[in-house]
Amino acid sequence: GGLIAARCSPFGLGSDGLGSVRIPAAYNGLVGFKPTRGRFTARGHSKIGPYAYGKFSVINEGMGPLARSVDDCILFFKGLLSEKNRTYDPSIPVIPWNQEKFELPKKMKIAYVVSEDLIGVTKSAKRAVLETVEAFKKEGHEVVQVTIPNFEQMIGLTIRVMSSDGKSRGATIVREGEDPIPELKAGV
């Protein structure tokens, strides 16, 4: 992410199963996108370390772009969604860029989450979400607040799948509500 933000490269391609493209994008003021697995080739991409095999191999990662703007990501997609790329990897589907499907409707229905009770949210993050909601409303979009069902159960399952100890430490943190950063609990 840092190299792209520093303009050392116009964009990058990476694998993203749990945020490996999207999180660096957020930290560096970039755009990251995780397409459906198999949309782009993973040929030449190697998995190394503990994530290569075993329980980590079930992560459904997709290859996606990391770029400085949405327009750069669009350019990336248009370049890679070409039938020519099937000569390199015949397993990828032939689905060319479709500008009509890309165009968003004038008015959309957008769901948002302010917070979930297990981890909480900082005041600044809540403010950012609510300001975004107001901006969408101002543009005439319908916005609906939703809650994440079974969030605690989802976190527990993720910890069991991803942790080396099969859940014992991570499940304790979730169950007992240990705060990794004291300021989050205070809502700062």
Side-chain angles (χ1 to χ4, degrees):
L3 290 174
I4 296 161
R7 300 185 180 273
C8 296
S9 176
F11 60 82
L13 175 65
S15 61
D16 188 331
L18 296 171
S20 298
V21 167
R22 295 163 290 161
I23 293 169
Y27 285 142
N28 288 285
L30 302 170
V31 176
F33 185 75
K34 177 194 172 192
T36 303
R37 182 179 187 170
R39 188 70 167 114
F40 297 115
T41 185
R43 280 209 157 161
H45 175 70
S46 298
K47 290 183 175 184
I48 58 171
Y51 299 103
Y53 306 103
K55 61 186 173 186
F56 295 105
S57 65
V58 301
I59 297 170
N60 194 18
E61 80 266 349
M63 302 301 290
L66 181 65
R68 287 189 300 274
S69 69
V70 171
D71 288 338
D72 288 349
C73 281
I74 292 169
L75 184 62
F76 170 89
F77 274 90
K78 287 179 178 179
L80 283 185
L81 294 177
S82 164
E83 191 161 341
K84 292 178 187 177
N85 290 321
R86 281 185 55 81
T87 58
Y88 178 66
D89 186 352
S91 70
I92 58 173
V94 180
I95 306 172
W97 178 262
N98 184 332
Q99 188 64 32
E100 285 180 21
K101 287 187 178 182
F102 177 73
E103 297 296 328
L104 295 174
K106 296 287 182 204
K107 303 297 177 199
M108 297 184 293
K109 184 175 186 177
I110 303 165
Y112 70 96
V113 175
V114 174
S115 178
E116 45 65 40
D117 293 333
L118 183 65
I119 299 172
V121 65
T122 62
K123 288 178 185 177
S124 60
K126 183 177 182 178
R127 184 178 61 248
V129 169
L130 295 176
E131 286 176 3
T132 303
V133 165
E134 289 306 313
F136 281 135
K137 284 180 181 178
K138 196 177 213 181
E139 293 295 319
H141 301 292
E142 180 183 355
V143 292
V144 180
Q145 185 174 356
V146 297
T147 57
I148 302 171
N150 306 315
F151 185 78
E152 187 171 352
Q153 182 182 9
M154 286 190 296
I155 294 294
L157 289 171
T158 301
I159 290 169
R160 281 197 298 275
V161 169
M162 302 301 297
S163 65
S164 61
D165 64 359
K167 83 172 170 79
S168 62
R169 173 72 179 131
T172 301
I173 291 170
V174 170
R175 201 171 37 255
E176 296 175 3
E178 178 181 319
D179 292 323
I181 302 172
E183 291 82 3
L184 290 179
K185 190 170 186 174
V188 174

